[in-house]
Amino acid sequence: MTSSPTPSLQNEKASETRLEEANEYDFGGESQLPRPPILSEEEERKLWRKIDFRLMPILCVMYLMSFMDRGNAKLQGLETQLNLTGNRYNIVLTMYFIPYCIFECPANLVLKRFRPSLWLPGITVVWGIIMTLMGLVKTYPQLVGVRVCLGVAEAGLFPGVAYYLSLWYPRNALQSRIGLFFGAATIAGAFSGLFAFAISFMSGTQGLLGWSWIFIIEGILTVAVGLVAFLVLVDFPVTAKFLTPEERAFVVWKKKFDNSSVGEEEQFMVKHLYQAFMDWQIWIHILIYMSLIGPLYGITLFLPFGEFSTAISQLLTVPPYIFATIVLGVFAYYSDKLMMRFPFILAAQIMCLIGFSINIADVSSGAKYFGTFLIVAGSYSGFPGIVAWLGNNLCGQYKRGVGMALHIGIGNFSGAIASNIFRTQDKPRFILGHGIELMFVGIGLIFLPITVFVYTRINMKRAQFMDRVAQGLEKKPSAKELRELGDRAPDFKYIL
């Protein structure tokens, strides 16, 4: 890799000063790396593509497998064989979400200690085994018990990967990567319908119905993916052997000073837990998160159209997810390019608002199918932006890890709510379910502009303070103080 022409003496001195300050707080061995090279835009793009090709394929496949089992087994005899009458199916779904939400935060705390290359493939293998066993259950209590275990096993994946990606990619590249990763779930929504349709022809084989084969085959595939991940996945930029020492140095330097002018705080301290729990932005972001994750889980778990035959219902789930994948990609690309999150989240919320308003009305099946397109596209395309937005605005590796886990873990309780609002007795309009989903979207439409207003006001005050520092009217905090302040530092600018 060649370097571009020598930078100006002023920039070189500034870079040296920042590196010297950062080396005082070297917790990962960065000081053993060579000085980061100065790369041209094209060289930097090639480096990020090299990282993408190593990290993203296996992460996407892992998340695709976690989403493959959701929804379609219901149409392949699951309810009938296990006598899931009344609200039993809803309880089965709910008992997955409770441990899933509770264990997300602890999972992110252990991710760094147990290493991503062991932790993420390990939980993938475990939940693959559990999913395989789910295809062998014979009674309703057994199904509930296995679903609880599945929730525990899967809890560490999404928040873990979101946090993991935030350790690799700078702020202006994070949403496109989370979008690519989460796009696997969107593709899974389309592919699982086709997959379930194909597996339906195995119903009766070895005395097992189609729903059993869905879980067994998807579980075996998940275990295989987890075993491959053990061989492919790497830990952190500083130890990534597929990169040259110079490339590692560049990525570490880029990420270290991306969230902070003096480098992020990287050593774990109990105060990081306190800072995360007391940070106003995490709690308001949870409400915005719920505005799309509630609709997302509601539509994912109950999308198969029961008014048609099983085969047609499975196939009708495919086009909305394909459309959603396209919209997700467009949103993620332009959000990173413009370095703005809220306009795309707002657009996603409006799509959900229109979609649920159509579906709650007494209209034709064709109109409701159009509404479903808007709901699926809105909820899936806006979701990566919400996750990336908070990740961008939290500084300090452990605070960000805890904050993102709280954000996703507590926010996912809306998925538990969504599991219980589409009741059998409410067919075909599901007024209660669609009404509560509209409530979630409405909450987001209220708190999204409030968040933007608060961020804008804080950024303005910080800019004014830094102007006074430049004029010698205020004293700038030391590098140590800025590092400890993290996203509350006067030179930290919130992304909108």
Side-chain angles (χ1 to χ4, degrees):
M1 182 176 293
T2 60
S3 297
S4 62
T6 306
S8 69
L9 184 61
Q10 183 180 1
N11 289 339
E12 193 172 311
K13 285 183 177 178
S15 177
E16 287 176 4
T17 302
R18 293 165 81 188
L19 284 167
E20 287 169 6
E21 290 173 343
N23 284 342
E24 269 187 79
Y25 300 90
D26 176 23
F27 301 112
E30 294 98 330
S31 61
Q32 304 303 312
L33 295 173
R35 184 168 297 278
I38 307 298
L39 304 183
S40 67
E41 287 187 12
E42 180 57 31
E43 288 172 332
E44 189 172 343
R45 276 196 295 270
K46 286 182 179 178
L47 174 58
W48 294 122
R49 281 199 295 269
K50 181 178 181 180
I51 294 170
D52 287 340
F53 283 126
R54 182 58 183 264
L55 301 186
M56 298 311 301
I58 188 64
L59 293 175
C60 288
V61 174
M62 287 163 69
Y63 198 54
L64 184 147
M65 297 313 301
S66 79
F67 249 75
M68 281 287 288
D69 71 310
R70 305 184 186 190
N72 291 284
K74 182 181 179 182
L75 294 180
Q76 295 294 337
L78 175 66
E79 287 185 303
T80 306
Q81 185 173 11
L82 298 187
N83 192 29
L84 302 184
T85 56
N87 64 349
R88 282 186 166 189
Y89 183 70
N90 303 81
I91 292 173
V92 167
L93 298 177
T94 304
M95 294 309 295
Y96 164 84
F97 278 107
I98 292 174
Y100 183 78
C101 297
I102 291 173
F103 283 92
E104 283 183 315
C105 189
N108 258 21
L109 286 175
V110 302
L111 171 70
K112 230 181 166 188
R113 186 165 297 277
F114 286 109
R115 297 169 44 195
S117 63
L118 298 177
W119 176 254
L120 295 174
I123 62 175
T124 302
V125 170
V126 171
W127 98 61
I129 294 170
I130 293 171
M131 195 188 301
T132 303
L133 296 175
M134 193 156 61
L136 303 177
V137 301
K138 302 299 181 184
T139 65
Y140 165 66
Q142 290 176 356
L143 180 62
V144 170
V146 176
R147 290 288 293 182
V148 169
C149 295
L150 186 65
V152 174
E154 285 191 13
L157 183 67
F158 184 80
V161 171
Y163 173 50
Y164 174 66
L165 293 177
S166 77
L167 299 175
W168 276 87
Y169 293 99
R171 296 203 287 177
N172 65 349
L174 184 60
Q175 182 173 340
S176 56
R177 272 64 180 195
I178 292 178
L180 180 61
F181 168 67
F182 191 70
T186 321
I187 295 171
F191 184 64
S192 62
L194 294 173
F195 189 66
F197 174 70
I199 292 180
S200 66
F201 294 102
M202 292 183 63
S203 186
T205 304
Q206 299 296 317
L208 300 174
L209 295 183
W211 69 267
S212 290
W213 284 113
I214 288 175
F215 290 137
I216 291 170
I217 293 176
E218 289 176 0
I220 293 172
L221 289 175
T222 301
V223 172
V225 168
L227 293 176
V228 171
F230 275 117
L231 304 175
V232 176
L233 205 59
V234 295
D235 291 317
F236 307 107
V238 70
T239 58
K241 293 183 179 179
F242 75 98
L243 299 176
T244 66
E246 290 75 17
E247 289 171 335
R248 276 182 259 163
F250 179 84
V251 175
V252 169
W253 180 87
K254 184 85 171 177
K255 191 68 200 78
K256 196 177 198 62
F257 296 104
D258 176 55
N259 281 35
S260 171
S261 63
V262 295
E264 282 195 297
E265 192 167 29
E266 300 173 14
Q267 189 176 34
F268 175 75
M269 287 180 279
V270 176
K271 72 173 185 178
H272 296 143
L273 297 174
Y274 173 80
Q275 288 174 348
F277 275 95
M278 298 303 294
D279 195 328
W280 66 272
Q281 58 175 329
I282 291 174
W283 300 102
I284 200 168
H285 270 272
I286 286 172
L287 296 173
I288 300 172
Y289 181 96
M290 286 182 167
S291 73
L292 289 181
I293 198 66
L296 187 151
Y297 276 120
I299 204 70
T300 300
L301 298 171
F302 295 93
L303 178 58
F305 299 90
E307 57 193 277
F308 300 101
S309 68
T310 297
I312 297 299
S313 295
Q314 302 284 15
L315 295 176
L316 282 175
T317 64
V318 177
Y321 284 107
I322 294 175
F323 176 63
T325 304
I326 296 170
V327 177
L328 185 154
V330 171
F331 277 20
Y333 174 78
Y334 282 103
S335 180
D336 271 350
K337 186 174 183 179
L338 300 173
M339 276 303 285
M340 295 192 77
R341 308 302 184 207
F342 86 88
F344 301 95
I345 297 171
L346 178 62
Q349 290 172 336
I350 291 173
M351 291 172 71
C352 288
L353 177 67
I354 296 172
F356 281 118
S357 298
I358 293 172
N359 281 11
I360 201 173
D362 188 11
V363 294
S364 66
S365 296
K368 289 188 176 184
Y369 193 44
F370 173 72
T372 299
F373 267 79
L374 295 178
I375 296 168
V376 175
S379 59
Y380 275 84
S381 64
F383 179 77
I386 295 175
V387 176
W389 195 15
L390 182 64
N392 289 159
N393 288 338
L394 292 175
C395 185
Q397 291 190 5
Y398 278 98
K399 181 186 176 182
R400 186 165 62 249
V402 174
M404 293 180 77
L406 284 174
H407 182 218
I408 296 169
I410 297 175
N412 274 341
F413 274 108
S414 60
I417 296 171
S419 302
N420 291 280
I421 58 178
F422 289 93
R423 305 176 303 176
T424 306
Q425 62 264 38
D426 295 331
K427 287 182 179 180
R429 289 177 62 183
F430 294 106
I431 292 177
L432 175 67
H434 288 133
I436 292 177
E437 298 287 27
L438 284 169
M439 177 199 72
F440 279 129
V441 177
I443 290 172
L445 288 170
I446 292 170
F447 284 98
L448 180 64
I450 292 175
T451 306
V452 173
F453 173 77
V454 175
Y455 276 151
T456 304
R457 187 174 176 82
I458 293 174
N459 283 344
M460 191 172 11
K461 287 184 176 181
R462 290 178 178 177
Q464 291 170 351
F465 176 83
M466 294 306 292
D467 286 341
R468 293 196 299 273
V469 169
Q471 296 167 14
L473 301 176
E474 296 278 1
K475 180 183 177 183
K476 184 179 180 181
S478 67
K480 182 176 184 295
E481 290 170 332
L482 289 173
R483 190 176 293 107
E484 289 176 350
L485 284 169
D487 51 77
R488 293 174 294 127
D491 63 346
F492 184 92
K493 184 178 180 182
Y494 287 121
I495 287 177
L496 302 181

